[in-house]
Amino acid sequence: YEDFQEQKLINGLEAACRHTSISHEQVRALATKITSELMERQVREISTREIGEIVMKYLKTIDTIAYIRFACVYR
């Protein structure tokens, strides 16, 4: 187990969104949105699988290429 680190989430999103229309500011905003969603759950532990599913849910609606890149690495 390890603590959730928003920076790791941002790094993963940045890698998936590289060379797409998604700006760095949009990546940071998405990371903040995902972090907030995780905190709202008020659970002590969440699996990386659940985090990955949440990330893919958002990326799928924003940019297909970023979604596919993230899904390939995540899965």
Side-chain angles (χ1 to χ4, degrees):
Y1 296 101
E2 65 179 82
D3 292 336
F4 174 77
Q5 297 173 28
E6 188 175 22
Q7 189 58 50
K8 286 178 88 172
L9 175 60
I10 292 169
N11 293 345
L13 287 168
E14 287 282 355
C17 297
R18 193 169 291 125
H19 304 298
T20 68
S21 62
I22 301 172
S23 69
H24 179 70
E25 291 75 25
Q26 287 173 298
V27 166
R28 293 190 76 76
L30 180 56
T32 299
K33 189 175 193 175
I34 292 168
T35 301
S36 294
E37 184 174 325
L38 294 173
M39 296 304 158
E40 286 173 12
R41 293 178 177 213
Q42 297 182 344
V43 293
R44 289 194 40 80
E45 294 179 1
I46 187 165
S47 69
T48 54
R49 181 180 175 276
E50 289 176 90
I51 295 170
E53 294 296 330
I54 293 168
V55 171
M56 288 193 304
K57 173 183 73 175
Y58 285 110
L59 285 178
K60 192 173 191 175
T61 64
I62 298 171
D63 187 278
T64 305
I65 299 299
Y67 166 76
I68 292 169
R69 284 183 186 155
F70 187 88
C72 285
V73 172
Y74 165 70
R75 292 198 171 151

